[in-house]
Amino acid sequence: MNVLTCLTPRQLAYGEIPMPELTPGHSLLKIKRIGICGTDLHAFEGTQPFFSYPRVLGHELAAELVEPGDAAGFEKGEAVTFIPYYSCGTCVACRSGKPNCCVTIAVCGVHVDGGMVEYLSVPSETLLHGEGLSYDELALVEPLAIGAHGVRRAGIQPGEFVLVVGAGPIGLGTMEFARIAGAKVIALDLNEQRLTFCREKLGVSHTINGKTEDVVARLSEITHGDMPTVVIDATGSRRAINEGFKYLAHGGRYVLVGLQREEIVVSHPEFHKREATLMSSRNATRSDFEHVIRSLKANYIDPTTYITHRVSFDQVGEQFASWLLPETGVIKAMVTL
């Protein structure tokens, strides 16, 4: 079967590998859609932590279930997605109900080879029913679950001002689930095209362009001097993460969904006087995935509007590098097999 491998930073190569065999505890998928996410792009450019080469990328997947194996309740031929985080089940995190941050977690497409293939074997316990959703929608469940998990970590209460920094796909999903939780959402980005998307497609009332506006002054104006009680970073930018501390209300919570390689730098007195809470948010849990699927079925979200670029599998290699460029206007690229 065909495979696309990231050999080294900025080098992708097509090849052929044997079809995966069905083994106990696993199911076999025929890949139908692959969403390209920030993790894939950062891996390609060589800035992704927790990463080694060569690696087959791809973890935002929708598929046809061709061999259910021992997956109880699943049928051959049904549309599925899956939870691409393989946990041990026995470490301190797993025992406390947090397999998303398992000590030895293996993320499909990051720590182990992913879905840039025609067929993929996955642990049967990770499967999720398609519930009548389209392949496009199913391929977007995982990135939406990332945002849903960050929102759950924040413990958002109805009526709170929530600032989401970064209007890429993860940030957009975070805004959607913050809205569903009852928040008054504020979007911050440097790209005016993406802020326009937030206003026109997501109905975000408050947007701030960090390149052309005084962010602190605008936040103070929007929140009537209080500042946001929740700040969620979805940029993966060191500068943006460090800047985010100054946007936080006294008593507020700061949730880091975005990931970068360097140290966080914060003024201890400024953070301390706020009695602020700093949290990371890694991956997502099954309950987050199920929340996303229910929200999609209820039409609370239409994530297919995020899809700005579509390519076939054989076009990915030549077009991948262009998706790093702001001028291409990519929000979500979707690969069809």
Side-chain angles (χ1 to χ4, degrees), residues 313-329:
F313 185 66
D314 60 4
Q315 296 174 311
V316 177
E318 65 186 49
Q319 296 199 29
F320 200 97
S322 70
W323 297 331
L324 289 165
L325 305 174
E327 56 265 31
T328 62

PDB file of all heavy atoms in Angstrom, residues 313-329:
ATOM      1  N   PHE A 313      -4.550  12.388  -2.028  1.00  0.00           N
ATOM      2  CA  PHE A 313      -3.373  11.865  -1.333  1.00  0.00           C
ATOM      3  C   PHE A 313      -2.100  12.059  -2.142  1.00  0.00           C
ATOM      4  O   PHE A 313      -1.045  12.389  -1.600  1.00  0.00           O
ATOM      5  CB  PHE A 313      -3.592  10.382  -1.007  1.00  0.00           C
ATOM      6  CG  PHE A 313      -2.495   9.763  -0.185  1.00  0.00           C
ATOM      7  CD1 PHE A 313      -2.266  10.162   1.115  1.00  0.00           C
ATOM      8  CD2 PHE A 313      -1.684   8.771  -0.726  1.00  0.00           C
ATOM      9  CE1 PHE A 313      -1.251   9.588   1.883  1.00  0.00           C
ATOM     10  CE2 PHE A 313      -0.676   8.185   0.029  1.00  0.00           C
ATOM     11  CZ  PHE A 313      -0.459   8.600   1.329  1.00  0.00           C
ATOM     12  N   ASP A 314      -2.194  11.889  -3.472  1.00  0.00           N
ATOM     13  CA  ASP A 314      -0.995  12.014  -4.296  1.00  0.00           C
ATOM     14  C   ASP A 314      -0.549  13.453  -4.515  1.00  0.00           C
ATOM     15  O   ASP A 314       0.504  13.706  -5.107  1.00  0.00           O
ATOM     16  CB  ASP A 314      -1.178  11.304  -5.647  1.00  0.00           C
ATOM     17  CG  ASP A 314      -2.336  11.863  -6.453  1.00  0.00           C
ATOM     18  OD1 ASP A 314      -2.964  12.844  -6.024  1.00  0.00           O
ATOM     19  OD2 ASP A 314      -2.622  11.295  -7.529  1.00  0.00           O
ATOM     20  N   GLN A 315      -1.325  14.430  -4.035  1.00  0.00           N
ATOM     21  CA  GLN A 315      -0.946  15.836  -4.155  1.00  0.00           C
ATOM     22  C   GLN A 315      -0.328  16.401  -2.873  1.00  0.00           C
ATOM     23  O   GLN A 315       0.209  17.510  -2.880  1.00  0.00           O
ATOM     24  CB  GLN A 315      -2.181  16.687  -4.503  1.00  0.00           C
ATOM     25  CG  GLN A 315      -2.812  16.388  -5.851  1.00  0.00           C
ATOM     26  CD  GLN A 315      -4.100  17.176  -6.052  1.00  0.00           C
ATOM     27  OE1 GLN A 315      -4.969  17.194  -5.170  1.00  0.00           O
ATOM     28  NE2 GLN A 315      -4.226  17.814  -7.198  1.00  0.00           N
ATOM     29  N   VAL A 316      -0.393  15.649  -1.788  1.00  0.00           N
ATOM     30  CA  VAL A 316       0.040  16.171  -0.493  1.00  0.00           C
ATOM     31  C   VAL A 316       1.514  16.564  -0.509  1.00  0.00           C
ATOM     32  O   VAL A 316       1.901  17.637  -0.030  1.00  0.00           O
ATOM     33  CB  VAL A 316      -0.217  15.150   0.631  1.00  0.00           C
ATOM     34  CG1 VAL A 316       0.304  15.683   1.965  1.00  0.00           C
ATOM     35  CG2 VAL A 316      -1.696  14.834   0.726  1.00  0.00           C
ATOM     36  N   GLY A 317       2.362  15.705  -1.064  1.00  0.00           N
ATOM     37  CA  GLY A 317       3.791  15.944  -1.045  1.00  0.00           C
ATOM     38  C   GLY A 317       4.195  17.262  -1.661  1.00  0.00           C
ATOM     39  O   GLY A 317       5.060  17.975  -1.126  1.00  0.00           O
ATOM     40  N   GLU A 318       3.565  17.619  -2.771  1.00  0.00           N
ATOM     41  CA  GLU A 318       3.945  18.853  -3.466  1.00  0.00           C
ATOM     42  C   GLU A 318       3.324  20.094  -2.850  1.00  0.00           C
ATOM     43  O   GLU A 318       3.849  21.200  -3.016  1.00  0.00           O
ATOM     44  CB  GLU A 318       3.549  18.766  -4.946  1.00  0.00           C
ATOM     45  CG  GLU A 318       2.056  18.684  -5.200  1.00  0.00           C
ATOM     46  CD  GLU A 318       1.716  18.452  -6.662  1.00  0.00           C
ATOM     47  OE1 GLU A 318       2.311  17.546  -7.254  1.00  0.00           O
ATOM     48  OE2 GLU A 318       0.843  19.181  -7.186  1.00  0.00           O
ATOM     49  N   GLN A 319       2.221  19.956  -2.119  1.00  0.00           N
ATOM     50  CA  GLN A 319       1.522  21.122  -1.592  1.00  0.00           C
ATOM     51  C   GLN A 319       1.756  21.376  -0.102  1.00  0.00           C
ATOM     52  O   GLN A 319       1.464  22.455   0.402  1.00  0.00           O
ATOM     53  CB  GLN A 319       0.015  20.995  -1.854  1.00  0.00           C
ATOM     54  CG  GLN A 319      -0.340  20.998  -3.329  1.00  0.00           C
ATOM     55  CD  GLN A 319      -1.795  21.323  -3.580  1.00  0.00           C
ATOM     56  OE1 GLN A 319      -2.433  22.040  -2.809  1.00  0.00           O
ATOM     57  NE2 GLN A 319      -2.323  20.789  -4.668  1.00  0.00           N
ATOM     58  N   PHE A 320       2.305  20.397   0.609  1.00  0.00           N
ATOM     59  CA  PHE A 320       2.386  20.486   2.060  1.00  0.00           C
ATOM     60  C   PHE A 320       3.119  21.747   2.521  1.00  0.00           C
ATOM     61  O   PHE A 320       2.653  22.463   3.419  1.00  0.00           O
ATOM     62  CB  PHE A 320       3.081  19.242   2.619  1.00  0.00           C
ATOM     63  CG  PHE A 320       2.809  18.978   4.065  1.00  0.00           C
ATOM     64  CD1 PHE A 320       1.823  18.079   4.453  1.00  0.00           C
ATOM     65  CD2 PHE A 320       3.526  19.623   5.064  1.00  0.00           C
ATOM     66  CE1 PHE A 320       1.560  17.831   5.797  1.00  0.00           C
ATOM     67  CE2 PHE A 320       3.273  19.384   6.396  1.00  0.00           C
ATOM     68  CZ  PHE A 320       2.285  18.490   6.759  1.00  0.00           C
ATOM     69  N   ALA A 321       4.275  22.044   1.930  1.00  0.00           N
ATOM     70  CA  ALA A 321       5.080  23.186   2.382  1.00  0.00           C
ATOM     71  C   ALA A 321       4.324  24.500   2.254  1.00  0.00           C
ATOM     72  O   ALA A 321       4.516  25.418   3.069  1.00  0.00           O
ATOM     73  CB  ALA A 321       6.386  23.244   1.589  1.00  0.00           C
ATOM     74  N   SER A 322       3.436  24.599   1.269  1.00  0.00           N
ATOM     75  CA  SER A 322       2.703  25.856   1.057  1.00  0.00           C
ATOM     76  C   SER A 322       1.743  26.147   2.195  1.00  0.00           C
ATOM     77  O   SER A 322       1.391  27.313   2.434  1.00  0.00           O
ATOM     78  CB  SER A 322       1.941  25.804  -0.267  1.00  0.00           C
ATOM     79  OG  SER A 322       0.846  24.885  -0.200  1.00  0.00           O
ATOM     80  N   TRP A 323       1.323  25.119   2.935  1.00  0.00           N
ATOM     81  CA  TRP A 323       0.350  25.319   4.018  1.00  0.00           C
ATOM     82  C   TRP A 323       0.978  25.991   5.234  1.00  0.00           C
ATOM     83  O   TRP A 323       0.271  26.381   6.158  1.00  0.00           O
ATOM     84  CB  TRP A 323      -0.290  23.985   4.401  1.00  0.00           C
ATOM     85  CG  TRP A 323      -1.067  23.375   3.265  1.00  0.00           C
ATOM     86  CD1 TRP A 323      -1.693  24.037   2.248  1.00  0.00           C
ATOM     87  CD2 TRP A 323      -1.286  21.983   3.023  1.00  0.00           C
ATOM     88  NE1 TRP A 323      -2.284  23.147   1.387  1.00  0.00           N
ATOM     89  CE2 TRP A 323      -2.051  21.879   1.833  1.00  0.00           C
ATOM     90  CE3 TRP A 323      -0.917  20.810   3.684  1.00  0.00           C
ATOM     91  CZ2 TRP A 323      -2.446  20.648   1.305  1.00  0.00           C
ATOM     92  CZ3 TRP A 323      -1.311  19.598   3.159  1.00  0.00           C
ATOM     93  CH2 TRP A 323      -2.066  19.517   1.989  1.00  0.00           C
ATOM     94  N   LEU A 324       2.297  26.135   5.227  1.00  0.00           N
ATOM     95  CA  LEU A 324       2.973  26.885   6.285  1.00  0.00           C
ATOM     96  C   LEU A 324       2.941  28.387   6.033  1.00  0.00           C
ATOM     97  O   LEU A 324       3.244  29.179   6.935  1.00  0.00           O
ATOM     98  CB  LEU A 324       4.433  26.443   6.389  1.00  0.00           C
ATOM     99  CG  LEU A 324       4.690  25.048   6.969  1.00  0.00           C
ATOM    100  CD1 LEU A 324       6.104  24.609   6.669  1.00  0.00           C
ATOM    101  CD2 LEU A 324       4.436  25.031   8.465  1.00  0.00           C
ATOM    102  N   LEU A 325       2.585  28.795   4.823  1.00  0.00           N
ATOM    103  CA  LEU A 325       2.660  30.198   4.426  1.00  0.00           C
ATOM    104  C   LEU A 325       1.335  30.912   4.693  1.00  0.00           C
ATOM    105  O   LEU A 325       0.291  30.476   4.200  1.00  0.00           O
ATOM    106  CB  LEU A 325       3.002  30.313   2.935  1.00  0.00           C
ATOM    107  CG  LEU A 325       4.276  29.581   2.494  1.00  0.00           C
ATOM    108  CD1 LEU A 325       4.424  29.651   0.982  1.00  0.00           C
ATOM    109  CD2 LEU A 325       5.499  30.169   3.195  1.00  0.00           C
ATOM    110  N   PRO A 326       1.355  32.012   5.449  1.00  0.00           N
ATOM    111  CA  PRO A 326       0.112  32.741   5.749  1.00  0.00           C
ATOM    112  C   PRO A 326      -0.645  33.185   4.493  1.00  0.00           C
ATOM    113  O   PRO A 326      -1.872  33.217   4.496  1.00  0.00           O
ATOM    114  CB  PRO A 326       0.592  33.951   6.556  1.00  0.00           C
ATOM    115  CG  PRO A 326       1.904  33.531   7.136  1.00  0.00           C
ATOM    116  CD  PRO A 326       2.522  32.630   6.116  1.00  0.00           C
ATOM    117  N   GLU A 327       0.095  33.494   3.437  1.00  0.00           N
ATOM    118  CA  GLU A 327      -0.571  34.007   2.238  1.00  0.00           C
ATOM    119  C   GLU A 327      -1.425  32.966   1.522  1.00  0.00           C
ATOM    120  O   GLU A 327      -2.269  33.324   0.682  1.00  0.00           O
ATOM    121  CB  GLU A 327       0.457  34.578   1.255  1.00  0.00           C
ATOM    122  CG  GLU A 327       1.561  33.627   0.834  1.00  0.00           C
ATOM    123  CD  GLU A 327       2.822  33.777   1.685  1.00  0.00           C
ATOM    124  OE1 GLU A 327       2.689  34.130   2.875  1.00  0.00           O
ATOM    125  OE2 GLU A 327       3.922  33.526   1.150  1.00  0.00           O
ATOM    126  N   THR A 328      -1.253  31.687   1.840  1.00  0.00           N
ATOM    127  CA  THR A 328      -2.126  30.690   1.231  1.00  0.00           C
ATOM    128  C   THR A 328      -3.517  30.683   1.833  1.00  0.00           C
ATOM    129  O   THR A 328      -4.446  30.113   1.274  1.00  0.00           O
ATOM    130  CB  THR A 328      -1.521  29.265   1.369  1.00  0.00           C
ATOM    131  OG1 THR A 328      -1.413  28.945   2.761  1.00  0.00           O
ATOM    132  CG2 THR A 328      -0.163  29.188   0.712  1.00  0.00           C
ATOM    133  N   GLY A 329      -3.664  31.317   3.007  1.00  0.00           N
ATOM    134  CA  GLY A 329      -4.985  31.442   3.631  1.00  0.00           C
ATOM    135  C   GLY A 329      -5.549  30.139   4.162  1.00  0.00           C
ATOM    136  O   GLY A 329      -6.760  30.016   4.373  1.00  0.00           O
TER     137      GLY A 329
END
